[in-house]
Amino acid sequence: MTSAHSPSSAYRELRAIFTRLSRFGHLSAIAGWDMQTMMPPGGNKARSEALAELSVLQHQILTAENTGRLFERAQQETLDGFDQANLLEMRRQYDNAVLVPESLVEAKSLAGARCEHAWRSQRPANDWEGFSENLREVVKLTRQEAQIRAEAAGSSRYDALLNLYEPGMRSSDIDRIFGDLKTWLPDLLQKVVTRQAQEPCLIPEGPFKVDTQRQLGLSVMKLLGFNFDGGRVDVSAHPFCGGVPEDVRITTRYNEKEFHTALLGIIHETGHARYEQNLPRDWLGQPVAQARSTAIHESQSLLFEMQLARGGDFLKILRPLIIKQFGEQPALEESNFIRLNQRVKPGLIRVDADEVSYPAHVILRYEIEKALVEGAIEVEDIPALWNEKMRDYLGLDTVGNYRNGCMQDIHWTDGAFGYFPTYTLGAMYAAQLFHSVREALPSLSSDIAEGNLTPLFHWLKQNIWCHGSRFSTDELITKATGETLNPRYFRQHLENRYL
């Protein structure tokens, strides 16, 4: 028996510490979910303070002197497989946490909660002045954190934050990948828009009652294998997937004039949820059982939403579910329904974007947030820069339209700088993974068209879900597809589907 399993081992003590942290994290996740879905507005100050207190408590436990000493001892012990990977992930979390002072953890948590809560009413009111005041404080604290991390890592400020979401990835890698994307995507987008202009497309006529949309969403979640014993769906201002693997909370938002936004939001978040629900169950509560990275998480939601749900095979089984809820109408005729779901039309809103124009939204945000964190621009420069890039990348104008421009996302409100590029990295991983699934499962198309999604989900479970953070991102993708990230599959996918 290795020392890893003896009661006195340092590794065993570390496991107990991380189990405790996981339990506090569980409470924090559910309180955060409630804050965005159920909590009355008057509860915000008390809840923000409670969550900040919880953040500080977790930080104290993780960065305690004894924890550091345990790592020194645990590294001398003989561990293998998941245990070895778990110790590496523990160490990574410890190293990330120990750099940041407790006071900054608390200040960031409070500023983020204040900014996000105010954003909910400021965005509908198009109140950039009010929003920017709160955002300035979030940016100030984020820069402080980034500076501390950058000095320790010998990296740029932005790279230090990016590493929290995408370990091992640098902005120079993203600049190269996005630089290549910018050489061919605008032309592809133009070709697709021109081509589709020749193909008339009927729009479904509402109203579509919220209760009926909710029933449709539940039936699609069931089709996609969501485990309702370990999760639920609700409504929030911005769709998200939260909670914990044993109790996954997803949200969407409804509009009675159309049902597509809510439905695609549910499909996207169900992709996140299936990943969470299938992380290595025997290791839950330990860092190794957490999702590998944000881009890998996004690859699962985008594989569900873009690769699968916008594909003709899946649309053939989705259509009857929609007709069952809303009845027959000309726009739901099969060929029109497929055209409708594969419509490419540059728009202002990222979360509603088609998969061809979506990367432009991400590149725009990446370029702005990188400049903001590095101090090259200030908060007041965002609207003009946003409009300039919207015009350059999508041919759209956002002057004075803050609500559907630079105020539309939730990420910057709580200082999640470094997150945005992972959406397009995720789309690229999704295309690469789906290509590999097709090669591994020659009958995939016919299986999907018949409503048999089990082979696809089994492949994802075996190759991605069950590994948690056992491998680095490069190792995980290489084991699943035979190579590290290759953006060629993304381009190939878009050209095949749209041209």
Side-chain angles (χ1 to χ4, degrees):
M1 188 182 285
T2 68
S3 59
H5 300 286
S6 63
S8 61
S9 84
Y11 172 67
R12 195 179 186 88
E13 286 182 59
L14 284 168
R15 279 194 63 150
I17 289 168
F18 277 85
T19 297
R20 190 174 176 221
L21 282 169
S22 165
R23 288 169 182 160
F24 284 128
H26 183 153
L27 294 177
S28 183
I30 300 302
W33 163 84
D34 176 77
M35 195 177 190
Q36 294 197 46
T37 55
M38 304 287 179
M39 187 188 76
N44 189 63
K45 185 174 184 292
R47 179 67 54 86
S48 300
E49 288 167 354
L51 283 169
E53 190 74 42
L54 209 44
S55 297
V56 169
L57 180 60
Q58 287 170 274
H59 188 265
Q60 286 171 341
I61 294 167
L62 182 53
T63 60
E65 273 184 42
N66 182 50
T67 311
R69 285 196 290 269
L70 287 171
F71 277 115
E72 286 168 24
R73 282 170 41 211
Q75 272 149 354
Q76 311 304 311
E77 296 170 356
T78 309
L79 304 171
D80 53 24
F82 266 100
D83 287 307
Q84 183 63 45
N86 195 33
L87 183 61
L88 280 172
E89 285 302 300
M90 287 174 171
R91 183 75 208 213
R92 190 171 70 81
Q93 291 189 13
Y94 170 79
D95 288 342
N96 277 331
V98 80
L99 291 173
V100 185
E102 198 178 290
S103 56
L104 184 54
V105 171
E106 183 176 29
K108 253 198 94 181
S109 179
L110 287 168
R114 189 163 54 244
C115 189
E116 190 276 327
H117 186 71
W119 166 83
R120 288 185 226 175
S121 54
Q122 287 164 344
R123 186 190 168 198
N126 202 39
D127 177 14
W128 167 254
E129 285 305 311
F131 175 68
S132 60
E133 201 173 310
N134 287 327
L135 185 61
R136 264 191 285 276
E137 182 65 16
V138 173
V139 169
K140 184 187 92 175
L141 296 169
T142 299
R143 283 174 176 169
Q144 286 177 21
E145 180 189 348
Q147 186 63 35
I148 293 167
R149 295 191 182 286
E151 284 171 8
S155 73
S156 73
R157 277 190 201 166
Y158 188 78
D159 280 4
L161 297 183
L162 179 63
N163 192 54
L164 298 174
Y165 299 98
E166 210 48 37
M169 181 70 76
R170 291 181 300 276
S171 55
S172 56
D173 300 321
I174 294 172
D175 290 341
R176 177 176 46 79
I177 292 165
F178 287 3
D180 175 63
L181 196 55
K182 283 162 78 170
T183 65
W184 58 263
L185 190 70
D187 184 49
L188 175 69
L189 180 58
Q190 192 52 56
K191 277 184 186 163
V192 177
V193 170
T194 304
R195 180 179 173 172
Q196 291 190 351
Q198 316 304 314
E199 304 165 346
C201 186
L202 297 172
I203 306 297
E205 290 180 19
F208 304 97
K209 290 182 179 170
V210 167
D211 281 352
T212 317
Q213 288 195 55
R214 181 176 160 75
Q215 287 310 311
L216 171 63
L218 292 171
S219 63
V220 174
M221 287 168 72
K222 188 178 175 188
L223 174 67
L224 293 171
F226 184 89
N227 174 10
F228 287 96
D229 285 340
R232 52 181 287 143
V233 61
D234 292 278
V235 177
S236 68
H238 197 291
F240 70 91
C241 174
V244 291
E246 306 92 325
D247 181 6
V248 181
R249 305 296 175 96
I250 75 169
T251 68
T252 192
R253 54 186 173 199
Y254 298 103
N255 174 359
E256 294 206 337
K257 291 177 186 168
E258 53 91 20
F259 63 84
H260 264 97
T261 303
L263 181 58
L264 286 167
I266 278 180
I267 292 171
H268 180 98
E269 302 306 338
T270 301
H272 282 306
R274 290 298 317 275
Y275 186 17
E276 287 289 319
Q277 289 181 336
N278 285 280
L279 287 165
R281 305 301 285 187
D282 295 348
W283 290 85
L284 291 183
Q286 293 299 306
V288 76
Q290 291 170 357
R292 172 60 279 171
S293 74
T294 316
I296 294 299
H297 227 312
E298 292 304 335
S299 79
Q300 300 310 290
S301 59
L302 290 167
L303 188 145
F304 272 54
E305 181 195 357
M306 302 297 190
Q307 300 288 324
L308 177 63
R310 290 184 196 253
D313 298 325
F314 184 82
L315 292 171
K316 285 171 188 166
I317 56 168
L318 179 61
R319 195 175 76 93
L321 298 177
I322 292 171
I323 290 169
K324 184 182 173 188
Q325 296 298 340
F326 302 124
E328 285 272 15
Q329 56 166 285
L332 298 179
E333 179 274 322
E334 189 175 282
S335 59
N336 188 82
F337 181 64
I338 290 173
R339 275 201 301 277
L340 183 69
N341 280 278
Q342 294 181 354
R343 208 73 183 153
V344 172
K345 189 184 177 191
L348 296 176
I349 307 296
R350 175 186 64 83
V351 294
D352 298 343
D354 58 83
E355 60 181 333
V356 183
S357 61
Y358 193 100
H361 290 271
V362 170
I363 292 169
L364 173 153
R365 287 156 174 77
Y366 162 67
E367 290 173 350
I368 291 175
E369 72 173 15
K370 187 177 158 194
L372 192 62
V373 168
E374 298 291 4
I377 63 166
E378 295 301 330
V379 168
E380 45 271 25
D381 301 320
I382 293 174
L385 204 50
W386 188 285
N387 187 56
E388 180 190 313
K389 290 179 184 292
M390 276 304 264
R391 277 206 313 267
D392 289 350
Y393 300 163
L394 290 164
L396 299 170
D397 196 289
T398 56
V399 173
N401 185 357
Y402 308 112
R403 190 166 72 96
N404 295 325
C406 54
M407 282 178 73
Q408 66 181 270
D409 297 293
I410 201 170
H411 304 61
W412 291 345
T413 62
D414 65 352
F417 293 94
Y419 191 122
F420 276 124
T422 67
Y423 284 113
T424 289
L425 294 173
M428 290 174 170
Y429 283 126
Q432 187 167 332
L433 288 167
F434 211 71
H435 174 83
S436 291
V437 181
R438 282 196 188 285
E439 296 216 311
L441 307 172
S443 64
L444 184 69
S445 280
S446 55
D447 285 340
I448 292 171
E450 288 163 15
N452 177 17
L453 303 177
T454 305
L456 169 63
F457 298 150
H458 179 73
W459 191 94
L460 288 170
K461 183 171 183 174
Q462 295 304 111
N463 287 279
I464 301 294
W465 299 345
C466 77
H467 295 304
S469 283
R470 184 178 180 183
F471 306 113
S472 71
T473 304
D474 279 353
E475 286 173 317
L476 183 68
I477 289 298
T478 303
K479 284 175 185 292
T481 71
E483 57 185 314
T484 56
L485 177 63
N486 185 345
R488 176 171 69 87
Y489 296 105
F490 181 59
R491 182 176 185 174
Q492 196 175 298
H493 159 68
L494 294 182
E495 288 174 347
N496 287 347
R497 179 172 283 175
Y498 295 97
L499 295 178

